[in-house]
Amino acid sequence: MSTSTQPSAPRTALPGPAGPPAAAPRVVRQRRRRPGLIALSVALIAAGGLSGALLFTASGQRSSVLVVARDVPVGNAITEADLASASLALDPAVKAVPTTKKAGLVGQRAAVALKSGSLLSPGQVTSASLVKAGEQLVGVALKPSQLPASRLSPGQKVLIVSTPDPAQAGAAANASKPTDSAAPQTLAATVVGVGVAAPATGVVVVDVAVPATSGPTLAARVATGSVALIVAAQDGGS
């Protein structure tokens, strides 16, 4: 006995609940181009780039100038080792000395105290000599006990004091001469240069400028070693 199978009818989807209506697509409006505004923006960008380029070029213009390589006391002669070259971008108002003038500055004196690393200006150097007309330069050799412990500098005013000779002082004491009441002889002088202390004795030679009439007398006293140096009071000092 055969069984026939009938094809089933297609299923029909039942309508579901009605959803919200679909939103209408948004219409994007194209912005209207303004040629004048675009041109102005391009001009501003170009101007900014040009000013930046000019600023970079100006800052890149460096000058080769002289700087102080090591401290130089006022009045000291400037040596080649005291100066160094540096490439700097300087304002036009800054007064500097170009490196091409280095050779002409060697041998001149520091008009002010020069500090290491500072920029050298023309007014800080002078060619004036500390030995004036009518003066003589005398070298005074002094032991550490014959001069102050503070460092002397060129241009400093000092007094050269004549100390009594020990032999003459003993003879005068035996003769009961009142030599103690006499004031020691002094001679005003100007320091021109200070040498380096000798390693063994510590003796320092100080070059001083004195009146030409007193130069020979001072040299004779220095030869005996019967002198001492003291620092004179500065103007306005006590």
Side-chain angles (χ1 to χ4, degrees), residues 88-219:
L88 303 175
L90 300 176
D91 188 273
V94 177
K95 303 299 181 182
V97 181
T99 55
T100 54
K101 295 185 177 180
K102 181 178 181 179
L105 295 180
V106 175
Q108 297 192 30
R109 298 186 179 274
V112 296
L114 303 179
K115 298 299 181 182
S116 176
S118 62
L119 181 68
L120 185 68
S121 63
Q124 294 177 328
V125 181
T126 179
S127 58
S129 175
L130 294 178
V131 182
K132 302 177 182 178
E135 293 183 338
Q136 291 181 343
L137 185 66
V138 180
V140 183
L142 300 169
K143 299 178 182 179
S145 59
Q146 295 174 304
L147 76 166
S150 59
R151 180 175 177 83
L152 299 173
S153 60
Q156 197 170 13
K157 302 298 182 181
V158 296
L159 293 176
I160 306 298
V161 182
S162 298
T163 57
D165 180 67
Q168 294 179 357
N174 294 333
S176 300
K177 293 181 179 180
T179 56
D180 294 340
S181 60
Q185 296 181 359
T186 61
L187 177 63
T190 302
V191 176
V192 176
V194 182
V196 180
T201 61
V203 173
V204 178
V205 177
V206 181
D207 291 340
V208 295
V210 296
T213 55
S214 303
T217 303
L218 176 59

